[in-house]
Amino acid sequence: MRAAAPGLALAAALAGCAAPPAPVPQDEARPPHSIVNNTPLPYVTLTGIDKFGEYTSLLLKMTWVFDERGRMRLEESAQEPTIGQHTPTDQETACLPHGAAFNQRTTWFPDTGLFLSGARWVGIAAAGGQPRPLVALSEGDGGTMSVVAGPQAREIEYGYVPCVGERRVREGHRTVGYVAPGDWLEVQPAGAKGTLRLQIPPDPMPYVTLRFAGRPTQQALVPGRIVLLTLDVARRRLVLQYQATAALRPQVAQATWDVTLPRQILARLEEKDARRQRAVKEYLAACIAPNKPMDPCANPHGVVPEALRD
């Protein structure tokens, strides 16, 4: 399901389209009746059906560019696209301008997959400096990579296609848990003596607001989790793929993508709007990362602060 919505003043809007949703019987759970995208970023909505249950998987991509000193800015004219309804299903593992369709049709990842072109990893650290473990991926079947075995292997390992945009790379890693806004990435570019450090900007950070059918007083806010990170050092591009999941029951009437605002924009807001933005950030920061689909913060019975209620 795809939809178009006005973009923020962060970058040029990327349009989508949608057909009117079909009527849904009251006793049948379906993906959200409508998707609203208040960001200029490309997105995809899928349904996951697995051992964990039935859920909606909401995906959004964000592309950054950086200079030789590692200073980041949101790409304004060439965001890496997502797959669409006309993306061929016989090219799941091909590396194309949108990356690999396989990585975008996977409805749940418990970690962040990492793929790098033109450099090697030195390490990743949390904003406070604590190093994040990196687990090397091994070649799997059909052009995918995953963890085969070892002490850091999960009971179920998820596969990735090693694409950095349309470039296939030979190595891949995953973290243990999710890379987060504010984390530091350190790489050594090919042929360079020194290293390059990049910080994932804390803002804008994508999140989803859920409103539920027949429950006008209930809503939920769910942070987007970074499930795929691709870094092209030669092109100075960083692409982050975010994912949020919510159960099909209770029925989500509307899912809305928004982003938190950078401090320089926040400082220009009226106090009421600034207070709401601060409340959003505090609420999202307190959301515990999920260890299975259907993010705990997608629960309509969670206590959403009064400042966030419309």
Side-chain angles (χ1 to χ4, degrees), residues 23-107:
V24 178
Q26 291 186 356
D27 61 345
E28 186 174 351
R30 294 281 181 87
H33 294 169
S34 70
I35 306 291
V36 176
N37 185 12
N38 288 332
T39 84
L41 306 169
Y43 69 102
V44 175
T45 304
L46 302 169
T47 298
I49 302 174
D50 53 32
K51 74 168 191 174
F52 298 109
E54 300 179 2
Y55 54 94
T56 292
S57 178
L58 302 139
L59 176 155
L60 179 140
K61 274 191 187 181
M62 182 182 290
T63 301
W64 295 86
V65 292
F66 52 90
D67 64 17
E68 67 281 357
R69 295 174 59 186
R71 292 176 296 193
M72 308 280 290
R73 65 175 176 82
L74 194 64
E75 172 61 79
E76 295 184 356
S77 60
Q79 285 282 321
E80 182 174 288
T82 58
I83 58 172
Q85 57 184 343
H86 300 300
T87 301
T89 57
D90 61 349
Q91 299 181 16
E92 290 291 276
T93 59
C95 294
L96 300 169
H98 58 241
F102 181 94
N103 294 336
Q104 294 165 65
R105 288 200 174 104
T106 300
T107 56

Side-chain angles (χ1 to χ4, degrees), residues 63-286:
T63 301
W64 295 86
V65 292
F66 52 90
D67 64 17
E68 67 281 357
R69 295 174 59 186
R71 292 176 296 193
M72 308 280 290
R73 65 175 176 82
L74 194 64
E75 172 61 79
E76 295 184 356
S77 60
Q79 285 282 321
E80 182 174 288
T82 58
I83 58 172
Q85 57 184 343
H86 300 300
T87 301
T89 57
D90 61 349
Q91 299 181 16
E92 290 291 276
T93 59
C95 294
L96 300 169
H98 58 241
F102 181 94
N103 294 336
Q104 294 165 65
R105 288 200 174 104
T106 300
T107 56
W108 160 250
F109 285 114
D111 307 288
T112 304
L114 306 166
F115 298 97
L116 175 64
S117 174
R120 69 172 183 83
W121 286 109
V122 175
I124 299 181
Q130 305 89 338
R132 292 193 182 279
L134 295 183
V135 182
L137 302 180
S138 302
E139 289 189 21
D141 298 328
T144 64
M145 300 184 82
S146 65
V147 175
V148 177
Q152 292 178 306
R154 292 180 178 272
E155 180 180 353
I156 299 176
E157 280 292 343
Y158 291 77
Y160 306 86
V161 176
C163 295
V164 177
E166 55 194 27
R167 181 190 298 271
R168 184 175 295 272
V169 296
R170 294 183 178 181
E171 296 183 348
H173 296 78
R174 70 155 172 82
T175 51
V176 179
Y178 300 109
V179 169
D183 281 5
W184 287 94
L185 316 176
E186 186 172 5
V187 302
Q188 183 171 27
K193 294 182 178 179
T195 63
L196 173 68
R197 296 185 77 225
L198 302 170
Q199 185 175 36
I200 298 176
D203 304 294
M205 186 189 82
Y207 67 95
V208 179
T209 301
L210 304 176
R211 299 183 184 280
F212 301 91
R215 303 181 181 212
T217 63
Q218 291 182 320
Q219 60 178 296
L221 274 69
V222 186
R225 310 288 182 180
I226 300 173
V227 297
L228 188 71
L229 183 157
T230 64
L231 178 59
D232 189 330
V233 173
R235 296 179 64 194
R236 294 179 180 171
R237 284 169 61 90
L238 170 69
V239 180
L240 305 174
Q241 178 176 310
Y242 291 84
Q243 190 175 81
T245 55
L248 292 188
R249 294 181 184 276
Q251 177 68 56
V252 175
Q254 184 178 88
T256 302
W257 278 109
D258 281 295
V259 293
T260 60
L261 298 180
R263 286 181 296 177
Q264 59 268 35
I265 295 179
L266 198 62
R268 300 197 299 264
L269 296 179
E270 294 184 0
E271 178 53 32
K272 179 181 178 181
D273 295 330
R275 185 167 59 249
R276 187 181 194 283
Q277 276 290 316
R278 289 192 293 269
V280 166
K281 293 181 183 183
E282 291 174 3
Y283 184 82
L284 296 176

